[in-house]
Amino acid sequence: MPPETPSHAIDRLDDDDYPAYTMGRAAEMIGATPGFLRAIGEARLITPLRSEGGHRRYSRYQLRIAARARELVDGGTPIEAACRIVILEDQLEEALRLNEELRGGRAER
């Protein structure tokens, strides 16, 4: 791979989907353990990308999802249920966003 220009590297750090964080750093950032991140990965809430060496890498978007799941688990919700709740919340948010886009498009006509 050709070396990246400094501005391209900075752009990627601003990307919510860029897998910038190692498992240890990600766990520290959300106040969880690496085991928690593995568990929500096994529950298919998030799927971290893998580095060339096979290490899990997490994006900021994935960390927000993981942090929400952690809130629910800390509140007593079983991890499987917490993952399902977070998935449904995310789907609802996306549906509302799309609905708003469609309504905005109709108003312009």
Side-chain angles (χ1 to χ4, degrees):
M1 282 177 64
E4 292 185 30
T5 62
S7 64
H8 186 260
I10 291 170
D11 289 344
R12 289 191 348 187
L13 292 176
D14 289 337
D15 181 357
D16 255 5
D17 295 318
Y18 180 70
Y21 304 99
T22 63
M23 177 181 273
R25 180 68 179 126
E28 179 183 313
M29 289 173 71
I30 66 166
T33 64
F36 176 80
L37 290 174
R38 280 191 290 277
I40 62 174
E42 289 170 11
R44 298 182 187 212
L45 177 60
I46 58 174
T47 304
L49 292 176
R50 298 282 182 149
S51 69
E52 289 181 17
H55 300 281
R56 292 174 179 91
R57 305 286 294 190
Y58 298 88
S59 69
R60 288 188 305 205
Y61 172 75
Q62 289 173 324
L63 293 183
R64 283 194 301 274
I65 295 288
R68 175 65 180 131
R70 183 177 175 268
E71 287 175 12
L72 291 167
V73 169
D74 287 353
T77 305
I79 196 161
E80 297 83 12
C83 290
R84 185 69 183 137
I85 290 167
V86 173
I87 288 168
L88 290 170
E89 287 175 344
D90 198 46
Q91 289 173 344
L92 176 60
E93 184 178 317
E94 178 66 8
L96 292 172
R97 185 190 65 76
L98 289 171
N99 194 11
E100 188 60 35
E101 276 183 28
L102 291 172
R103 284 188 179 156
R106 260 193 248 139
E108 292 174 5
R109 292 181 194 173

